[in-house]
Amino acid sequence: MGRKDASTSRTPVDQYRKQIGKQDYKKTRPMLRATRLKAEAKKTALGVKEVALVLAAILVFLLAFYAFFYLNVSNEVDLDQDPDEN
């Protein structure tokens, strides 16, 4: 009677995962901890996109604030003068 090959019942993905698992097992604990911490830091770090969006929002707010006061001061009429005096 023929013996069934155990590797044929596994999918290639399972074989690949097993191979990766063996490679990770060979690593020392400090290396695994450093890799995990690096991945967590990368996940929680602020990206350039978020920082740029915040700076752009602040800039738009300041420009709107400046424009509001610039238009109010430039359109202000001097109440001490009579408009017919000029």
Side-chain angles (χ1 to χ4, degrees):
M1 302 233 179
R3 205 171 108 185
K4 289 186 178 180
D5 190 16
S7 66
T8 58
S9 65
R10 291 188 195 140
T11 62
V13 175
D14 289 336
Q15 290 175 349
Y16 178 73
R17 287 179 180 162
K18 185 175 180 181
Q19 185 181 16
I20 295 298
K22 285 180 182 178
Q23 290 174 359
D24 280 346
Y25 185 72
K26 292 177 186 177
K27 293 179 182 176
T28 62
R29 286 184 186 222
M31 288 176 68
L32 291 173
R33 187 178 303 126
T35 305
R36 187 180 72 240
L37 291 174
K38 185 178 177 182
E40 287 176 3
K42 191 175 185 180
K43 207 184 302 184
T44 60
L46 286 177
V48 175
K49 195 176 194 179
E50 289 85 7
V51 172
L53 285 174
V54 169
L55 289 176
I58 292 171
L59 181 64
V60 167
F61 175 75
L62 289 176
L63 286 174
F65 187 74
Y66 176 78
F68 175 75
F69 282 106
Y70 177 76
L71 292 174
N72 279 344
V73 170
S74 64
N75 291 337
E76 187 176 300
V77 176
D78 192 6
L79 298 176
D80 292 339
Q81 285 185 338
D82 188 17
D84 295 332
E85 284 183 3
N86 292 338

